[in-house]
Amino acid sequence: MATFLTTRTQSWSDRMSKDPPPWTTRNGGREQFNVKFGEEEDLPLTYKQHLFPASADVNVDEYLCKDVDRRVSIKIMDTHGNGKVIQAIRQKVELVRRVKHYHSIQVLGSYIHGDSFGMVTQPVAICDLREYLFHQESLKARKVVKESCPRRGFLPRLMGCLAKGLQHIHSREIQDGAQLRHRDIKPANILLKGWREGPLCGLWYLKSVHRYPDRLEREVNEDPNVKADGAQYASPERIKDTHRNTACDIFSLGCVYAEIFAVYKGIPAQDFLRYRRCLTPDGAGYFHNTGTKALEKLEGLADERCDVQVVRLIRSMMKPDYKHRPTAEQVWKSLTTYTSASPIYFCGPCCMPLIQHDPLLQEDSDREPLGAKYVSRKSGQLAGPIPNNLDFKVHYEQGKGPAVEWWRNLRHWEHSTLDVAAILKQDKISKHRHIVKLISTYQHPDMLTLHFEPAAKYDLRTYLELTELRMKQPLDSLDSWKRLQKMLELLRESFGCLSGALAAVHETQYDHGELRPANVLVDNNRIFLSKFSVGLKFRGSSATSLGKLFRFIDQFGYTNLDRHGSSRTQGRPQPIIDPEVIQYQPPEWTPEIDEGRPAADIFSLGCVFIEIYRVITGGRVREFEEKRVVNGKPAYRDSVPRTQKLLASFEEGTYETKDDFIGMLCSMIDEDPDKRPEAAVVHRQMAKYKTREGHPRCGSCAEAD
């Protein structure tokens, strides 16, 4: 997470009370764990109720600590008097103690009584996620709904909180640099405790990546027909016992997300499980065997932006090759940007990224983070007009600023974040109709803010996926048909609109530097170029003016001045390049080359055009990628000849400008940068091309330009 960002859970976790029951500090207060009670000695605990059966030798019960009148949860494990078992349990307790996070159970102490080993934890959960999903009418599940919020608002928030909790687990290290991981993520191991607006999740069974045997792997290897609950969510490499790392947790969490999303969209969890069981001969329905079909089922439920984004994320988490799965941090970052039209957020307010000086951190700082709000109530000091200035000459004190109210996150990077705000007052600055507009800049101490418009509803990647799905869904009304035709019209005309925008950028001696679908925005039936790499790269004379650079560098949102000088800090490690960035870069591209190269933009734009062309001709980008990939490398620069060959297969037959249009796309992705056309040439030609039906491949902007 960016160094100037934080969350409520982070600040809360740093100061969480460690107040253990007094009996855990026996022996002069020197030992809080592994307290030994004699077999005839009465425990300072009063049994209240049974909570969860964990296994034949393990139970989780609720007790009342007599000396402090506190309710705790105790996991009681039968050791059979075996010293090795006791030692293994003690090691496990030590690992759990390392995880101190708002969304993890907190270990208060442990004890040994006869052949039983008890691990004392808090909070006391109402039920687990399995009961909440599969037995929605149970008393416990209904109690969670009563003490939190309706399921449709509760489940999406849960997803972001789980990812944040898992990120914290994976950030813990044990000896020899090995990372902690969960090893048994499944709904039964996610605990819920209603608290005002959201869940309280306990992540159990924390084990080292390398040090302990895996019970599930042993069971599955010994008995292929075992229907272990954990095997339902286990990754392919875990079942085959080939790799054990944090990516296994990501796969399992993706499976849990699949069930959450199904219930969120109105499919009962039992029905989703029955559907998966029908897909396998043994009737087990394990996700590692049914993932592809299960994801297709979820895709059929998608009807808005956030649905497409969530299914795409789940698909990435459940990739068969563990090396291609995202990290827990990447999953969390993605979920913090997903919002429904309602809006419903896919992360609780407790785990939403906040700027270090955000007023929300000061509001109700002693209140449980789950009971917090998404938007500050202290908006009285945010009453000024949007500054009509693009050179950061307007300065505000902390807590003061123009009249804006946060609406949703779009992205956040190592040094900056992009949010959508409801702007109450603004002065518009005219620019190219297909390039985002910088409308204002101002400063707070240690921070720059840039305001842009539009706050687009879609990025092109999501828009293309939504178009793909709607083309396959039945058009059961005139409105749905008109909606699809509008989407296709925008995509058909985007060839000229985007090439014209890029030509305008190149004409001013700048390059884009990072053209890809995620950096093309769609809003109100118009398409826009946005986010310009590490900045629009200036060709020619010096462009080191701080004001001029920051107009483009970190194009959106808040920028941390301490981390962003006009030159790189000596010795700072190079950032990890996003695979999606590499996917659209040309063969000659390397991360070290900073000079402007318009031909590189042409290659990237050609790749974007090819994906648009594939969608409007009735295909799917993902299926096209599977056909064009060479040696497992998804980057276009590794498959240029095959991609050029496949272009001719998108449409059957011929028409007047088809060959010229395909020839232009092929020339844009030519491996030789000198053979690629200039953006202005592409724009002029796109204005001449028509589709088979005679539709233009450029909007009205061709006449304006």
Side-chain angles (χ1 to χ4, degrees), residues 562-616:
D562 182 55
R563 297 283 289 176
H564 266 279
S566 58
S567 63
R568 294 178 180 173
T569 302
Q570 187 68 26
R572 182 183 298 169
Q574 292 296 313
I576 298 175
I577 305 298
D578 186 340
E580 190 184 334
V581 174
I582 300 174
Q583 180 162 334
Y584 298 90
Q585 293 291 1
E588 70 273 14
W589 176 85
T590 64
E592 293 76 25
I593 296 179
D594 287 331
E595 67 269 15
R597 295 163 298 139
D601 284 347
I602 296 299
F603 183 95
S604 300
L605 184 61
C607 299
V608 174
F609 281 176
I610 289 170
E611 294 187 357
I612 295 173
Y613 184 37
R614 177 68 289 204
V615 172
I616 62 178

Side-chain angles (χ1 to χ4, degrees), residues 538 540-545 548:
F538 185 76
S541 59
S542 173
T544 57
S545 162
K548 191 168 187 178

Side-chain angles (χ1 to χ4, degrees), residues 676-692:
R676 298 172 201 150
E678 294 182 353
V681 174
V682 177
H683 184 222
R684 284 196 300 270
Q685 293 302 115
M686 289 296 176
K688 301 176 183 179
Y689 299 149
K690 306 284 186 182
T691 67
R692 183 191 301 274

Side-chain angles (χ1 to χ4, degrees), residues 91-341:
Q91 289 177 325
K92 174 177 154 183
V93 170
E94 287 302 308
L95 290 175
V96 179
R97 290 178 61 192
R98 293 174 183 267
V99 182
K100 297 177 181 178
H101 189 267
Y102 182 66
H103 287 298
S104 174
I105 58 172
Q106 299 302 302
V107 181
L108 303 179
S110 63
Y111 66 86
I112 297 174
H113 186 228
D115 288 342
S116 297
F117 190 106
M119 183 170 68
V120 185
T121 66
Q122 62 178 15
V124 178
I126 296 176
C127 73
D128 59 46
L129 182 60
R130 177 174 177 78
E131 180 165 357
Y132 187 83
L133 292 176
F134 285 83
H135 307 285
Q136 296 188 10
E137 296 305 315
S138 73
L139 291 176
K140 291 182 178 180
R142 290 165 64 183
K143 184 177 180 181
V144 173
V145 173
K146 182 179 179 181
E147 296 191 12
S148 55
C149 62
R151 283 184 172 84
R152 185 163 175 81
F154 182 95
L155 288 171
R157 294 182 182 189
L158 176 61
M159 296 172 73
C161 294
L162 284 172
K164 188 60 177 173
L166 186 60
Q167 177 200 353
H168 179 79
I169 290 173
H170 288 177
S171 69
R172 304 297 93 184
E173 291 187 356
I174 56 176
Q175 64 185 32
D176 303 325
Q179 291 176 278
L180 281 176
R181 67 178 175 99
H182 193 292
R183 294 178 72 101
D184 198 11
I185 293 178
K186 56 186 178 182
N189 285 343
I190 296 170
L191 308 182
L192 305 178
K193 181 179 186 296
W195 182 272
R196 298 181 177 91
E197 294 185 44
L200 227 156
C201 315
L203 304 181
W204 286 46
Y205 306 119
L206 306 176
K207 300 179 183 178
S208 160
V209 176
H210 302 295
R211 292 180 55 182
Y212 298 106
D214 193 311
R215 176 179 57 83
L216 172 64
E217 290 162 0
R218 189 168 61 250
E219 286 180 353
V220 171
N221 288 336
E222 290 174 355
D223 182 2
N225 296 315
V226 68
K227 302 297 189 294
D229 185 31
Q232 187 71 231
Y233 307 89
S235 64
E237 67 273 14
R238 189 180 173 198
I239 293 293
K240 296 176 183 177
D241 196 16
T242 56
H243 294 88
R244 306 180 188 183
N245 51 36
T246 54
C248 299
D249 283 349
I250 297 299
F251 184 95
S252 299
L253 186 60
C255 301
V256 174
Y257 283 176
E259 291 188 330
I260 289 175
F261 183 74
V263 174
Y264 166 72
K265 296 301 294 183
I267 303 296
Q270 297 95 329
D271 290 354
F272 189 44
L273 176 59
R274 279 193 289 268
Y275 170 77
R276 300 197 310 274
R277 284 178 170 169
C278 291
L279 299 175
T280 56
D282 62 1
Y286 294 166
F287 272 104
H288 71 273
N289 286 329
T290 63
T292 300
K293 289 293 185 180
L295 287 165
E296 290 178 1
K297 177 82 169 177
L298 297 182
E299 278 187 340
L301 305 175
D303 58 9
E304 62 172 315
R305 177 190 63 214
C306 62
D307 298 342
V308 171
Q309 293 170 320
V310 170
V311 175
R312 182 173 64 226
L313 177 65
I314 295 173
R315 185 181 299 279
S316 70
M317 297 171 71
M318 294 175 62
K319 285 185 175 179
D321 187 344
Y322 73 92
K323 290 177 286 189
H324 294 158
R325 295 176 202 148
T327 64
E329 181 178 21
Q330 290 169 328
V331 172
W332 167 72
K333 282 185 175 181
S334 296
L335 287 165
T336 63
T337 67
Y338 298 168
T339 313
S340 75

